[in-house]
Amino acid sequence: MADLSFGGRVAIVTGAGHGLGREHALDLAARGAKVVVNDLGGALDGTGASSGPARDVAEQIRKDGGTAVPNGDNVATQPGAEAIVETALSEFGRVDVVVNNAGILRDKSFVKMTTQEFDAVLGVHLRGSFLVTHAAWPHLRTQGYGRVVLTSSPAGLFGSFGQANYASAKMGLVGLAKALALEGAKYDIKINVIAPVAYTRMTADLLPPELAERLGPQFVSPLVCYLAHAECSASGQVYSVAGGRVARVLVAEGPGWLKKGALRAEDVRDAWDQINADQPQVVPAGAGEQTEVLFRALQDS
Ligand code: NAI
Protein backbone atom coordinates (compact mmCIF):
# COMPACT_ATOMS: atom_id res chain seq x y z
CA MET A 1 0.00 0.00 0.00
CA ALA A 2 1.27 3.49 -0.90
CA ASP A 3 2.17 6.01 1.76
CA LEU A 4 -0.49 8.58 2.58
CA SER A 5 0.68 11.65 0.72
CA PHE A 6 -0.75 15.18 0.83
CA GLY A 7 0.90 16.56 -2.30
CA GLY A 8 -1.16 19.49 -3.65
CA ARG A 9 -3.29 19.66 -0.49
CA VAL A 10 -3.53 22.65 1.83
CA ALA A 11 -4.13 22.12 5.55
CA ILE A 12 -5.01 24.48 8.37
CA VAL A 13 -4.00 23.35 11.85
CA THR A 14 -5.23 25.57 14.68
CA GLY A 15 -3.30 25.78 17.93
CA ALA A 16 -0.27 24.35 16.13
CA GLY A 17 2.34 26.27 18.08
CA HIS A 18 2.64 23.66 20.82
CA GLY A 19 1.82 20.10 21.75
CA LEU A 20 -0.55 18.07 19.59
CA GLY A 21 -1.21 20.74 16.95
CA ARG A 22 2.50 21.24 16.40
CA GLU A 23 2.94 17.52 15.78
CA HIS A 24 -0.08 17.41 13.43
CA ALA A 25 1.38 20.30 11.41
CA LEU A 26 4.83 18.70 11.22
CA ASP A 27 3.39 15.33 10.16
CA LEU A 28 1.05 16.80 7.52
CA ALA A 29 3.87 18.97 6.14
CA ALA A 30 6.29 16.03 6.04
CA ARG A 31 3.67 14.24 3.92
CA GLY A 32 3.59 17.10 1.42
CA ALA A 33 0.74 19.31 2.66
CA LYS A 34 1.13 23.07 2.58
CA VAL A 35 0.25 24.06 6.12
CA VAL A 36 -1.19 27.15 7.78
CA VAL A 37 0.31 26.96 11.26
CA ASN A 38 -2.17 28.87 13.40
CA ASP A 39 -1.53 29.72 17.04
CA LEU A 40 -2.53 32.63 19.21
CA GLY A 41 0.50 31.96 21.38
CA GLY A 42 -1.11 32.58 24.75
CA ALA A 43 -0.89 30.80 28.10
CA LEU A 44 -2.70 27.55 28.90
CA ASP A 45 -5.67 29.53 30.26
CA GLY A 46 -5.93 31.49 27.01
CA THR A 47 -4.54 34.76 28.33
CA GLY A 48 -1.90 36.66 26.37
CA ALA A 49 -0.74 36.28 22.81
CA SER A 50 2.51 35.85 20.92
CA SER A 51 3.40 35.25 17.30
CA GLY A 52 6.44 33.20 18.40
CA PRO A 53 5.03 29.64 18.63
CA ALA A 54 3.34 29.67 15.19
CA ARG A 55 6.40 31.27 13.62
CA ASP A 56 8.78 28.72 15.18
CA VAL A 57 6.74 25.74 13.94
CA ALA A 58 6.39 27.19 10.42
CA GLU A 59 10.15 27.81 10.39
CA GLN A 60 10.82 24.26 11.53
CA ILE A 61 8.66 22.93 8.67
CA ARG A 62 10.50 25.05 6.14
CA LYS A 63 13.85 23.94 7.55
CA ASP A 64 12.72 20.34 7.09
CA GLY A 65 11.97 21.06 3.42
CA GLY A 66 8.21 21.57 3.76
CA THR A 67 5.87 24.46 3.05
CA ALA A 68 4.17 26.42 5.82
CA VAL A 69 3.00 29.85 6.77
CA PRO A 70 2.45 31.06 10.33
CA ASN A 71 -0.78 32.70 11.46
CA GLY A 72 -1.41 34.29 14.85
CA ASP A 73 -5.16 34.84 14.71
CA ASN A 74 -7.66 33.91 17.40
CA VAL A 75 -9.99 31.03 16.47
CA ALA A 76 -12.57 32.29 18.96
CA THR A 77 -13.46 35.44 17.00
CA GLN A 78 -15.17 35.52 13.62
CA PRO A 79 -12.63 37.93 12.07
CA GLY A 80 -9.82 35.75 13.44
CA ALA A 81 -11.32 32.53 12.07
CA GLU A 82 -11.95 34.15 8.68
CA ALA A 83 -8.38 35.47 8.58
CA ILE A 84 -7.03 31.96 9.21
CA VAL A 85 -8.93 30.59 6.20
CA GLU A 86 -8.03 33.68 4.17
CA THR A 87 -4.34 32.98 4.90
CA ALA A 88 -4.69 29.52 3.32
CA LEU A 89 -6.43 30.98 0.27
CA SER A 90 -4.10 33.92 -0.26
CA GLU A 91 -0.87 31.96 0.39
CA PHE A 92 -1.74 28.63 -1.15
CA GLY A 93 -4.89 29.20 -3.25
CA ARG A 94 -7.15 26.61 -1.58
CA VAL A 95 -7.99 24.74 1.59
CA ASP A 96 -8.56 20.98 1.81
CA VAL A 97 -8.03 20.07 5.45
CA VAL A 98 -9.06 21.82 8.65
CA VAL A 99 -7.69 20.40 11.89
CA ASN A 100 -9.43 22.18 14.77
CA ASN A 101 -7.08 21.66 17.66
CA ALA A 102 -6.68 24.98 19.54
CA GLY A 103 -7.63 24.72 23.16
CA ILE A 104 -7.40 26.25 26.62
CA LEU A 105 -8.26 25.19 30.16
CA ARG A 106 -10.05 27.03 32.97
CA ASP A 107 -10.65 24.17 35.39
CA LYS A 108 -12.80 24.85 38.47
CA SER A 109 -15.34 22.87 40.46
CA PHE A 110 -18.81 23.76 39.24
CA VAL A 111 -19.72 25.75 42.33
CA LYS A 112 -16.73 28.05 41.79
CA MET A 113 -16.88 28.26 37.99
CA THR A 114 -17.77 31.70 36.69
CA THR A 115 -19.84 32.34 33.58
CA GLN A 116 -16.77 33.96 32.08
CA GLU A 117 -14.74 30.78 32.64
CA PHE A 118 -17.48 28.72 31.03
CA ASP A 119 -17.81 31.06 28.04
CA ALA A 120 -14.05 31.39 27.47
CA VAL A 121 -13.56 27.62 27.22
CA LEU A 122 -16.58 27.08 24.98
CA GLY A 123 -15.44 30.09 22.96
CA VAL A 124 -12.14 28.53 21.96
CA HIS A 125 -13.03 24.84 21.68
CA LEU A 126 -16.61 24.80 20.41
CA ARG A 127 -17.25 28.23 18.95
CA GLY A 128 -13.69 28.39 17.57
CA SER A 129 -14.12 25.04 15.80
CA PHE A 130 -17.47 26.21 14.46
CA LEU A 131 -16.04 29.53 13.24
CA VAL A 132 -12.97 28.14 11.47
CA THR A 133 -14.91 25.27 9.91
CA HIS A 134 -17.72 27.63 8.94
CA ALA A 135 -15.28 29.99 7.21
CA ALA A 136 -13.74 27.09 5.27
CA TRP A 137 -17.03 25.33 4.50
CA PRO A 138 -18.10 27.26 1.34
CA HIS A 139 -14.67 26.55 -0.21
CA LEU A 140 -14.83 22.85 0.67
CA ARG A 141 -18.36 22.65 -0.74
CA THR A 142 -17.52 24.44 -3.96
CA GLN A 143 -14.53 22.21 -4.66
CA GLY A 144 -16.48 19.10 -3.64
CA TYR A 145 -13.82 17.93 -1.21
CA GLY A 146 -12.80 18.48 2.38
CA ARG A 147 -11.52 16.77 5.48
CA VAL A 148 -12.24 18.26 8.90
CA VAL A 149 -10.92 16.97 12.21
CA LEU A 150 -12.32 18.16 15.54
CA THR A 151 -10.53 17.64 18.83
CA SER A 152 -12.68 16.34 21.65
CA SER A 153 -11.49 14.72 24.86
CA PRO A 154 -12.20 11.76 27.10
CA ALA A 155 -13.13 14.48 29.63
CA GLY A 156 -16.13 15.40 27.49
CA LEU A 157 -17.05 11.93 26.28
CA PHE A 158 -16.88 10.27 29.66
CA GLY A 159 -16.91 13.10 32.24
CA SER A 160 -14.26 14.80 34.33
CA PHE A 161 -14.44 16.46 37.75
CA GLY A 162 -13.78 20.21 37.68
CA GLN A 163 -14.15 20.52 33.92
CA ALA A 164 -17.83 21.33 33.34
CA ASN A 165 -16.86 24.01 30.81
CA TYR A 166 -14.29 21.88 29.00
CA ALA A 167 -16.45 18.73 29.01
CA SER A 168 -19.45 20.65 27.63
CA ALA A 169 -17.33 22.08 24.83
CA LYS A 170 -15.75 18.74 24.01
CA MET A 171 -19.05 16.86 23.84
CA GLY A 172 -20.52 19.75 21.85
CA LEU A 173 -17.93 19.00 19.18
CA VAL A 174 -19.37 15.51 18.80
CA GLY A 175 -22.76 17.05 18.01
CA LEU A 176 -21.12 19.43 15.55
CA ALA A 177 -19.42 16.52 13.76
CA LYS A 178 -22.57 14.39 13.67
CA ALA A 179 -24.55 17.23 12.06
CA LEU A 180 -21.83 18.31 9.63
CA ALA A 181 -21.15 14.73 8.52
CA LEU A 182 -24.72 14.66 7.18
CA GLU A 183 -24.49 18.13 5.59
CA GLY A 184 -21.07 17.46 4.05
CA ALA A 185 -21.77 13.98 2.66
CA LYS A 186 -22.94 15.18 -0.75
CA TYR A 187 -19.74 17.23 -1.21
CA ASP A 188 -17.23 14.59 -0.10
CA ILE A 189 -16.59 16.54 3.08
CA LYS A 190 -15.74 14.11 5.89
CA ILE A 191 -15.69 15.33 9.47
CA ASN A 192 -14.45 13.23 12.36
CA VAL A 193 -13.51 13.69 15.99
CA ILE A 194 -10.47 12.61 17.96
CA ALA A 195 -10.35 12.23 21.73
CA PRO A 196 -6.62 12.11 22.51
CA VAL A 197 -4.48 11.67 25.56
CA ALA A 198 -0.97 13.03 25.19
CA TYR A 199 1.79 14.46 27.30
CA THR A 200 1.77 18.20 26.56
CA ARG A 201 1.84 21.39 28.61
CA MET A 202 -1.92 20.82 29.10
CA THR A 203 -1.38 17.50 30.86
CA ALA A 204 2.14 17.82 32.25
CA ASP A 205 0.72 18.25 35.79
CA LEU A 206 -1.66 15.29 35.43
CA LEU A 207 0.26 12.54 33.64
CA PRO A 208 3.27 10.83 35.22
CA PRO A 209 6.48 12.23 33.66
CA GLU A 210 7.77 8.71 32.99
CA LEU A 211 4.92 8.36 30.44
CA ALA A 212 5.98 11.52 28.55
CA GLU A 213 7.61 9.56 25.74
CA ARG A 214 5.07 6.71 25.65
CA LEU A 215 2.21 9.23 25.44
CA GLY A 216 3.90 11.69 23.10
CA PRO A 217 1.86 13.65 20.50
CA GLN A 218 3.55 11.54 17.79
CA PHE A 219 1.12 8.76 18.77
CA VAL A 220 -1.89 10.97 17.98
CA SER A 221 -0.96 12.73 14.75
CA PRO A 222 -1.01 9.56 12.59
CA LEU A 223 -4.75 9.23 13.23
CA VAL A 224 -5.22 12.91 12.37
CA CYS A 225 -3.29 12.41 9.13
CA TYR A 226 -5.41 9.42 8.18
CA LEU A 227 -8.69 11.23 8.97
CA ALA A 228 -7.40 14.21 6.96
CA HIS A 229 -6.57 12.06 3.92
CA ALA A 230 -8.64 11.47 0.79
CA GLU A 231 -8.50 7.71 1.45
CA CYS A 232 -10.50 8.07 4.67
CA SER A 233 -14.17 7.38 4.04
CA ALA A 234 -15.34 7.63 7.67
CA SER A 235 -17.46 10.62 8.66
CA GLY A 236 -19.24 11.64 11.83
CA GLN A 237 -17.14 9.21 13.87
CA VAL A 238 -15.27 9.62 17.13
CA TYR A 239 -11.95 7.93 17.93
CA SER A 240 -10.01 7.87 21.15
CA VAL A 241 -6.27 7.81 20.58
CA ALA A 242 -3.21 7.61 22.82
CA GLY A 243 0.12 5.83 23.06
CA GLY A 244 -0.41 3.86 19.84
CA ARG A 245 -3.96 2.68 20.67
CA VAL A 246 -6.90 3.86 18.55
CA ALA A 247 -10.51 2.95 19.38
CA ARG A 248 -13.85 3.95 17.94
CA VAL A 249 -16.13 5.62 20.49
CA LEU A 250 -19.80 4.99 19.93
CA VAL A 251 -22.92 6.99 20.68
CA ALA A 252 -25.23 4.03 21.04
CA GLU A 253 -28.78 3.37 22.15
CA GLY A 254 -29.90 0.35 24.14
CA PRO A 255 -32.84 -1.86 23.14
CA GLY A 256 -35.24 0.29 25.13
CA TRP A 257 -38.56 -0.52 26.70
CA LEU A 258 -41.94 0.36 25.27
CA LYS A 259 -45.26 0.63 27.05
CA LYS A 260 -48.49 0.52 25.14
CA GLY A 261 -51.09 3.09 26.11
CA ALA A 262 -50.69 5.79 28.75
CA LEU A 263 -47.27 6.15 30.37
CA ARG A 264 -46.96 7.10 34.03
CA ALA A 265 -43.89 7.98 36.10
CA GLU A 266 -44.51 4.81 38.10
CA ASP A 267 -44.28 2.75 34.88
CA VAL A 268 -40.88 4.29 34.24
CA ARG A 269 -39.77 3.47 37.80
CA ASP A 270 -40.96 -0.12 37.51
CA ALA A 271 -39.23 -0.67 34.16
CA TRP A 272 -36.01 1.08 35.19
CA ASP A 273 -33.81 -2.02 34.78
CA GLN A 274 -35.14 -2.68 31.26
CA ILE A 275 -34.78 0.98 30.32
CA ASN A 276 -31.14 0.88 31.42
CA ALA A 277 -30.30 -2.31 29.55
CA ASP A 278 -27.45 -1.56 27.15
CA GLN A 279 -27.55 -4.70 24.99
CA PRO A 280 -28.21 -5.17 22.15
CA GLN A 281 -27.18 -1.71 21.01
CA VAL A 282 -27.92 0.27 17.92
CA VAL A 283 -25.63 3.01 16.64
CA PRO A 284 -27.82 5.29 14.52
CA ALA A 285 -26.06 7.15 11.70
CA GLY A 286 -28.26 10.17 12.37
CA ALA A 287 -31.32 11.34 14.28
CA GLY A 288 -33.44 10.22 11.31
CA GLU A 289 -32.20 6.66 11.70
CA GLN A 290 -32.86 6.75 15.43
CA THR A 291 -36.42 7.90 14.72
CA GLU A 292 -36.86 4.98 12.30
CA VAL A 293 -35.91 2.62 15.14
CA LEU A 294 -38.62 4.26 17.23
CA PHE A 295 -41.22 4.00 14.46
CA ARG A 296 -40.43 0.31 13.97
CA ALA A 297 -40.85 -0.31 17.69
CA LEU A 298 -44.20 1.51 17.66
CA GLN A 299 -45.38 -0.53 14.65
CA ASP A 300 -44.30 -3.80 16.25
CA SER A 301 -46.00 -3.08 19.58
P1 NAI B 1 -1.37 22.86 24.20
O1 NAI B 1 -1.68 23.88 25.23
O2 NAI B 1 0.02 22.37 24.09
O3 NAI B 1 -1.83 23.36 22.76
C1 NAI B 1 -2.96 24.11 22.55
C2 NAI B 1 -2.59 25.23 21.60
O4 NAI B 1 -3.75 25.99 21.26
C3 NAI B 1 -1.60 26.21 22.23
O5 NAI B 1 -0.45 26.31 21.41
C4 NAI B 1 -2.37 27.51 22.31
O6 NAI B 1 -1.56 28.66 22.15
C5 NAI B 1 -3.37 27.36 21.19
N1 NAI B 1 -4.54 28.20 21.36
C6 NAI B 1 -5.26 28.39 22.49
N2 NAI B 1 -6.26 29.25 22.27
C7 NAI B 1 -6.19 29.62 20.97
C8 NAI B 1 -6.96 30.49 20.17
N3 NAI B 1 -8.02 31.15 20.67
N4 NAI B 1 -6.62 30.61 18.86
C9 NAI B 1 -5.55 29.96 18.35
N5 NAI B 1 -4.78 29.13 19.10
C10 NAI B 1 -5.09 28.97 20.39
O7 NAI B 1 -2.35 21.63 24.49
P2 NAI B 1 -2.51 20.22 23.74
O8 NAI B 1 -2.50 19.19 24.78
O9 NAI B 1 -1.60 20.11 22.60
O10 NAI B 1 -4.03 20.35 23.25
C11 NAI B 1 -4.42 20.35 21.90
C12 NAI B 1 -5.89 19.98 21.83
O11 NAI B 1 -6.07 18.63 22.28
C13 NAI B 1 -6.79 20.84 22.71
O12 NAI B 1 -8.01 21.07 22.05
C14 NAI B 1 -7.01 19.97 23.92
O13 NAI B 1 -8.20 20.29 24.60
C15 NAI B 1 -7.07 18.60 23.27
N6 NAI B 1 -6.82 17.51 24.19
C16 NAI B 1 -5.59 17.30 24.71
C17 NAI B 1 -5.39 16.23 25.56
C18 NAI B 1 -4.06 15.88 26.10
O14 NAI B 1 -3.95 14.82 26.75
N7 NAI B 1 -3.02 16.68 25.85
C19 NAI B 1 -6.51 15.39 26.01
C20 NAI B 1 -7.75 15.65 25.33
C21 NAI B 1 -7.89 16.70 24.48
Side-chain angles (χ1 to χ4, degrees):
M1 297 279 265
D3 286 353
L4 295 172
S5 153
F6 284 85
R9 298 290 185 198
V10 174
I12 291 168
V13 184
T14 70
H18 295 107
L20 285 163
R22 176 181 183 277
E23 192 67 27
H24 305 335
L26 293 173
D27 204 344
L28 286 163
R31 293 173 177 281
K34 294 172 183 154
V35 181
V36 176
V37 177
N38 159 264
D39 204 288
L40 186 59
L44 186 55
D45 67 359
T47 54
S50 159
S51 58
R55 197 186 51 227
D56 291 351
V57 174
E59 262 171 28
Q60 178 70 50
I61 289 172
R62 288 200 211 107
K63 231 190 286 169
D64 295 343
T67 306
V69 61
N71 169 285
D73 282 301
N74 184 349
V75 300
T77 70
Q78 190 170 346
E82 286 170 355
I84 294 167
V85 173
E86 194 44 47
T87 300
L89 298 174
S90 60
E91 293 285 331
F92 304 132
R94 57 186 290 127
V95 57
D96 302 285
V97 172
V98 181
V99 180
N100 293 283
N101 164 83
I104 62 168
L105 285 183
R106 303 252 172 119
D107 293 358
K108 285 272 173 71
S109 66
F110 193 52
V111 72
K112 292 192 187 133
M113 186 174 289
T114 64
T115 307
Q116 205 277 332
E117 285 160 346
F118 185 81
D119 289 345
V121 169
L122 262 80
V124 175
H125 294 273
L126 184 55
R127 194 163 182 274
S129 296
F130 160 77
L131 287 171
V132 178
T133 306
H134 194 249
W137 198 258
H139 305 284
L140 306 181
R141 240 176 83 127
T142 302
Q143 73 196 11
Y145 179 79
R147 295 290 181 266
V148 178
V149 179
L150 301 173
T151 307
S152 181
S153 166
L157 300 177
F158 307 118
S160 177
F161 190 96
Q163 293 194 307
N165 48 5
Y166 185 75
S168 302
K170 291 307 199 184
M171 198 55 165
L173 290 165
V174 175
L176 182 62
K178 297 271 177 204
L180 294 190
L182 298 174
E183 293 199 30
K186 193 160 109 187
Y187 307 98
D188 193 16
I189 304 173
K190 317 280 194 221
I191 176 151
N192 291 288
V193 182
I194 66 161
V197 176
Y199 196 90
T200 66
R201 71 175 188 174
M202 195 177 268
T203 50
D205 292 342
L206 304 169
L207 296 172
E210 60 273 20
L211 286 182
E213 188 52 37
R214 190 71 190 86
L215 290 176
Q218 70 273 19
F219 291 106
V220 175
S221 300
L223 172 65
V224 170
C225 286
Y226 179 66
L227 295 175
H229 197 270
E231 271 189 31
C232 176
S233 59
S235 197
Q237 305 304 320
V238 184
Y239 300 94
S240 64
V241 52
R245 175 179 179 268
V246 183
R248 183 170 165 211
V249 178
L250 303 170
V251 179
E253 191 176 62
W257 162 86
L258 179 74
K259 166 126 193 306
K260 273 202 217 163
L263 181 69
R264 301 176 69 241
E266 292 75 12
D267 298 325
V268 173
R269 175 196 62 200
D270 297 343
W272 199 236
D273 286 347
Q274 289 156 275
I275 290 167
N276 281 288
D278 55 16
Q279 297 295 335
Q281 297 174 346
V282 287
V283 182
E289 216 173 280
Q290 194 263 355
T291 309
E292 281 169 28
V293 173
L294 168 69
F295 287 172
R296 271 200 304 277
L298 291 176
Q299 273 161 10
D300 294 347
S301 69

